[in-house]
Amino acid sequence: DKPVVKPAHDKGASVYQEKWKKDKSKMNHFFRKLLIRNQIAYRIFKRSSEAVLRDSLYNLLVAASGVFVIGCYEASLIAKVRNLKFFVKYSLAQMLPSIIWHTKRAPLIAKQLNLKPDYILRNLNVYENQADAIRESRIEMCQTSRSIIAGFFFIAQILHLVHETSEIRHEYYTEVLNGRESMISGDDGGMEERIIRFAGRQSDVTEYSVSQYGRHVIPIIEDPENFKHVIYDHSEEGLIPMCWHVKENCYGLKKSWKGFNIEESWGILNEKTQEKYLIIEADSSLSEQSLALGYSNDLTLQEVSQGYRHITNTLQRKNIPLNPVCVLLADEQELFSKSGGQYTESLRSRIKKTKECDILIDAKKPLIKEIVQWVKSHGVNEIVFDTSSTEYYKNLSSELKKYNISIVSEARHLPHLFYYERTADTINEIRSALEIGVDNDLVCAFLDTGEGSEEINQYGGFKKTSGEKIDYINSAEIYDNLFASVRFHLRKGREFNEIQDIVDEELKIQPL
């Protein structure tokens, strides 16, 4: 039950692939989409109605009072005896009919009060009696007045509701794109089996994971602008909430999580104990500069720890039967100062003591391992590293020396590893190398994003032979595979310390 993991540059690699539950029934898919849209429509309508009621309550009271007073006066003109009960009943009965310029007949109201119409109602003779004609004219004026008040007020509120609905619908889409709209619940067609991914300001592996698994991944992001295209694509253009925004250094604040609803349906089943995990993954790697091989200044351990503890407290407070698990991707050798800088300890050492996360994935070793295995596949111990960054060059040289691999300045017959800040630059440099005679079998592109892999694969000029394309190593794919491997072992019911040992064993690097 443990797949064989091969280097990412091996196009025949067998990697961990998450088997999300999928219902292939088109009818069930249709009903799920219908439930989601009904839930969204209900949210918008409810907020619009509340806004209209809040803004128009005073106007409603004034209009209703006007209609009521006019109705009572109208009843007094119709009745030949004073009967307060009849006056009030008649006036209230005309409230809704007034909206459509209609009048509920007085004899029906008298009968409802068990009063004889002949006893309480006037019999007006408007053609022979001047006083009756004047009274009838006043009655019709009352009917016209209350209908004008009720009708125009009703039309005004309909227009107000339409306007508010349009405004709130725009606000809803904005909130979705900004990561401040609550997730759709499972009962209303929401996604099942979801993982929470702390992504910081930017996270290449999170973007890649979302491209693979869609809304099964819920990114917790600090800067929605950096994830704008991902949110737009996977929220169905701002329709379905799929991420949550927490400001930098605010992971421990209650207000940062207000509205973030956690569903029991998000749980991933432990096949051994039948319990469910809520998996919280955190990416503290170096986005867009993974070969800098340094410490991340984006998502910190403090932020991960505070967010993890808040979610744990929420599960306990709301009695949601999910066991939280935190998986952290970070440089295990990152140093933390203690006692005013009197001594330091590594990230791995600290986590062993504090238990601020349950499983740690080192961000540096898997990248070095992929490069080492790529070099091994060529049977050499020297490579050319083509990059514009002095920092990348020095760091990688230092790391590869530990495994008896040297980096030389120039040699066409040696493997060439290309890594530039922009994928387009990497592709362009590879083209230049091919044009001056570097064997395309010796070329490997190091990439940070899933889009980079697509660009490499789709670039027609890089085809080596029929069906084959240039080698590449993609840090986002590697990290995603490691996260998936942990989920795989959690599903199988393995203990946290056992999973940690498995991950550490997978990341061991054998020198040449």
Side-chain angles (χ1 to χ4, degrees), residues 346-372:
S346 68
L347 174 64
R348 179 176 282 272
S349 175
R350 171 172 172 152
I351 286 175
K352 279 184 178 180
K353 293 189 298 185
T354 62
K355 306 298 182 184
E356 290 173 278
C357 78
D358 300 298
I359 299 165
L360 174 64
I361 301 173
D362 184 52
K364 184 186 296 183
K365 286 181 181 177
L367 307 184
I368 300 300
K369 182 177 181 179
E370 292 294 320
I371 295 173
V372 170

Side-chain angles (χ1 to χ4, degrees), residues 472-512:
Y472 67 84
I473 296 172
N474 190 308
S475 61
E477 293 181 8
I478 294 169
Y479 292 152
D480 178 75
N481 184 44
L482 289 167
F483 277 130
S485 72
V486 173
R487 295 196 296 270
F488 172 85
H489 294 301
L490 287 171
R491 287 181 185 274
K492 293 300 179 182
R494 294 188 171 94
E495 299 294 333
F496 296 164
N497 58 352
E498 183 183 0
I499 297 174
Q500 185 68 68
D501 291 340
I502 291 172
V503 172
D504 292 342
E505 183 64 29
E506 285 183 356
L507 297 183
K508 283 185 177 179
I509 307 172
Q510 298 297 328
L512 295 182

Side-chain angles (χ1 to χ4, degrees), residues 199 202-205 283 285-290 296 298 419 448:
Q202 192 166 0
S203 171
D204 295 327
V205 63
D283 172 27
S285 64
L286 289 163
S287 292
E288 291 195 338
Q289 48 178 341
S290 53
S296 172
D298 185 355
Y419 183 60
D448 291 314

